[in-house]
Amino acid sequence: ARSPCALAARIRTPVIFFQGRQDQVVVPEQTNAMVQALRRAGAAVAVHWFDEGHGFRNPDNQACVLETLYRFYQKAGRKTHARQENLS
């Protein structure tokens, strides 16, 4: 299957989406479908919506994306580190 939704059950890592409500390249329905498929599969998913199109040009939104990604990676990194310690 070509749709990523068909492979959602294989994803085991946390996933984060940043989506523009006016995006005409990756339409919001595609993101919603992937988020729902990942949630059905039990994946940890976060989605953040912005009132923009494809690619965020508003500096406040750009800062929000960077800050949110930083926190996301910090959290994901702690979980990965804890798993590695448990395997030792």
Side-chain angles (χ1 to χ4, degrees):
R2 293 188 59 173
S3 171
C5 292
L7 304 174
R10 296 168 133 186
I11 296 174
R12 300 284 178 244
T13 58
V15 179
I16 191 167
F17 291 94
F18 298 94
Q19 177 67 45
R21 287 186 178 94
Q22 288 87 38
D23 195 334
Q24 295 180 9
V25 177
V26 179
V27 295
E29 292 79 14
Q30 290 174 316
T31 298
N32 280 329
M34 189 64 186
V35 167
Q36 293 308 314
L38 288 165
R39 287 182 176 155
R40 280 192 302 273
V45 182
V47 61
H48 300 269
W49 296 93
F50 297 93
D51 289 322
E52 292 200 54
H54 191 78
F56 306 124
R57 287 164 182 79
N58 179 314
D60 291 334
N61 291 343
Q62 292 172 345
C64 180
V65 168
L66 292 174
E67 291 166 1
T68 304
L69 276 173
Y70 179 72
R71 288 190 305 274
F72 176 80
Y73 288 130
Q74 280 184 315
K75 185 177 178 182
R78 282 193 298 271
K79 289 180 180 180
T80 300
H81 182 69
R83 280 195 303 267
Q84 288 172 347
E85 285 180 353
N86 290 336
L87 295 174
S88 299

